[in-house]
Amino acid sequence: MNQRTAPDLFEPGLFQGTTFYEVFAWYRANDPVSWQHPAGEPEGFWSVTKYHDVVSVHRDTTRMSSVKGMRLGSADSAVDAVANKMLIVSDPPDHTRMKRVLIQPFSHEILGRAEAYVEKVVADVVATALQYPEPDLIKHLERIPTDVICAIMGLPRSDWEWIGKQTTEAFESPSEVRRIAANGEIFKYFTDMVKENRRTATNDFISGITARTHSSPQLTDEELVFNFSGILAGGNETTRYTLAALTHQLAEHPDQWRRIARGDVDPAIATEEGLRWSVPGMHVLRTATEAVRIGAVEIAPGQRVVTWIGSANRDEEIFDNPDTFDVGRTGNRHLSFGAGRHICLGSRLARLEIAAYLRTLRSMVRSLTLEGAPRYNGSNFTWGLNELPVVLHK
């Protein structure tokens, strides 16, 4: 790239492939905290691409606020409706209060009891994929996070397919109208469920959460609804993208697959490389509440700051050979779950599912073949594969 001309980070179609990594590399080397004002955005923002700068933004909950939204392209009215009522768009003390309650179902103890179910779901999905190959393996893989999070939340089995589709629409639809509508459908679903459970107490997940809120801290029904939606999305979309990216890389790099198949690499280690590589949450938005310096740049109060996780995960100062997929990579300090107070609530569950998937592949699958070109969704927010022509072989 021309070192004197900044590449366009918002070129149409850039995220429909992987060439944006070259753009990130340019910014890391030449303009790590750059001013951007893409078409369609009402105002500009600072774009942060280096690892340590990204971490500093995420950890600074005093001067970097989430209340004004956490992604580009969000409607102000939608953000205002959930501000300080939904974990991902809240600041302390509201964030602390809500997280203290909501993190309980994702403790090591509770997830330890769910491990056998996760293994069963993964084994069933892989067995089905072996017996009934699809042109798009994602049609099988998407069942893993959907079935697991829906089961943990105690949602009716008959609703799982609908829930998966609505969650995808809420985050991935190119239409803002459709995203808002899908989120509205999910909010209504949980509103009805919380109301019904107040009367019948038949959902153990909701009852467990609401039981804890009878003493301080207490969540309102509205906060429960918004955060159940967030838990559903966090447990569904991002894990699916990591499973797809990991499978793609194993099929494309047989040497890495052989390391898994032979048992040379611990699945827990390979899981971290899958997370670093897949970057299901590509960017995070914050708003400065007071003047703050990031790198060599002074950020003014009220200005927006966007951190690019995809760039941080390829920072040459942190990762050796960052553009190489290495299932045995150790000391893998990726930021795919974020950093600081807003680190992903479901990170333990995601790791559990991905590691179970790798163990199952090792025990049930002989080889993986890539049968065509994979297709990316083109999003600069929840980025990943939405079509993966990989076939698993016994």
Side-chain angles (χ1 to χ4, degrees), residues 142 145-146 149 163-164 167 231-241:
E142 65 188 3
T146 298
I149 195 63
I163 286 168
T167 305
I231 288 170
L232 179 66
N236 196 349
E237 292 299 284
T238 55
T239 305
R240 171 163 59 91
Y241 287 128

Side-chain angles (χ1 to χ4, degrees), residues 356-394:
Y357 177 65
L358 287 170
R359 287 193 297 271
T360 303
L361 288 182
R362 187 173 63 190
S363 65
M364 298 177 63
V365 173
R366 174 176 51 83
S367 63
L368 310 83
T369 56
L370 186 62
E371 304 291 338
R375 187 166 61 88
Y376 293 88
N377 62 11
S379 171
N380 67 8
F381 181 58
T382 49
W383 175 80
L385 290 161
N386 59 7
E387 189 173 310
L388 180 61
V390 165
V391 175
L392 307 182
H393 304 278
K394 296 181 182 179

